Amino acid sequence: MTVREILHVGNPLLRERSREVTRDELASAALQQLIDNLIDTMHAANGAGIAAPQVGELVRIATIEVTHNPRYPYKPPIPLTVVVNPVVTALGDEVVEINEGCLSVPDMRGNVMRHVNIRVQFWDRDGNEHDEIKRGLTAGTFQHELDHLDGVLFLDRVDDTRTLTTWAQFERFHRDEFIERITAFVARVGS
């Protein structure tokens, strides 16, 4: 198990666009090890996902998984997914306000608007092509992680900076209202 250091906001690597990888690169021991490191780092930090730039690697690779995550108990399950060279397309104009945090922005949360329905085309770690529809909070999780590949942090998407809060203050003042609202949303649209 290898847990990598997670870069924090202010590190210039987090603001760069990552490059696509070739199938030959993806099959290399180095990138397969990077994928394993991303999974280990995501699990160790209780993250819902992590992107390669967050550990200082500017390649278009991210891992996503939600299984009984103590940081995000309201998120529907997402099986372990390795996303390589993704292309995201919004399906429709419907958006939802989600309170997000980020491993690269420690102890901070804020409200962002995310598309409710997206199409994600990507390779898995073996180079197999996927073309999937993601909905609800799952779509939001994918959008958050894949933003990292373009040098975008959730802070860039916060329209109302008055929604920024530390984790402790979110838990104290905002969690119950958010859980109630987002649970109703999940019941309406699914994952």
Side-chain angles (χ1 to χ4, degrees):
M1 179 171 165
T2 302
V3 175
R4 301 272 298 262
E5 177 185 357
I6 298 172
L7 305 183
H8 291 163
V9 61
N11 188 306
L13 289 178
L14 292 172
R15 296 313 197 156
E16 292 189 32
R17 186 180 192 283
S18 296
R19 68 173 180 81
E20 292 187 356
V21 299
T22 66
R23 288 188 193 281
D24 287 342
E25 285 178 298
L26 181 59
S28 73
L31 280 190
Q32 289 298 312
Q33 182 64 54
L34 171 61
I35 291 168
D36 290 339
N37 293 171
L38 287 170
I39 294 167
D40 290 344
T41 304
M42 174 180 67
H43 288 161
N46 286 322
I50 193 166
Q54 291 179 272
V55 297
E57 304 286 345
L58 293 177
V59 291
R60 296 184 78 74
I61 299 175
T63 61
I64 298 170
E65 181 180 35
V66 176
T67 54
H68 309 293
N69 188 311
R71 282 170 50 108
Y72 304 107
Y74 49 84
K75 284 193 177 205
I78 302 172
L80 177 61
T81 307
V82 176
V83 181
V84 180
N85 295 339
V87 175
V88 177
T89 307
L91 300 175
D93 295 329
E94 185 180 5
V95 294
V96 61
E97 186 176 53
I98 301 175
N99 185 275
E100 292 186 0
C102 181
L103 297 175
S104 289
V105 186
D107 197 31
M108 185 65 66
R109 296 180 66 89
N111 291 354
V112 301
M113 301 304 289
R114 296 288 186 189
H115 288 280
V116 173
N117 299 294
I118 61 170
R119 176 184 185 189
V120 186
Q121 297 166 287
F122 63 96
W123 301 342
D124 62 25
R125 75 180 300 162
D126 299 315
N128 299 314
E129 294 182 12
H130 293 258
D131 189 340
E132 301 178 3
I133 305 298
K134 304 295 180 188
R135 296 178 45 78
L137 284 182
T138 298
T141 299
F142 271 76
Q143 290 168 82
H144 175 107
E145 295 309 328
L146 302 183
D147 269 355
H148 282 293
L149 305 180
D150 292 322
V152 176
L153 297 174
F154 87 92
L155 295 172
D156 304 323
R157 298 200 182 275
V158 173
D159 289 329
D160 183 353
T161 56
R162 294 174 298 174
T163 69
L164 292 172
T165 178
T166 64
W167 273 88
Q169 298 309 307
F170 172 77
E171 290 286 329
R172 183 174 178 198
F173 295 111
H174 307 286
R175 183 181 191 278
D176 292 342
E177 180 277 326
F178 175 69
I179 298 287
E180 182 178 327
R181 181 174 57 79
I182 215 66
T183 301
F185 167 75
V186 169
R188 181 175 65 82
V189 303
S191 59

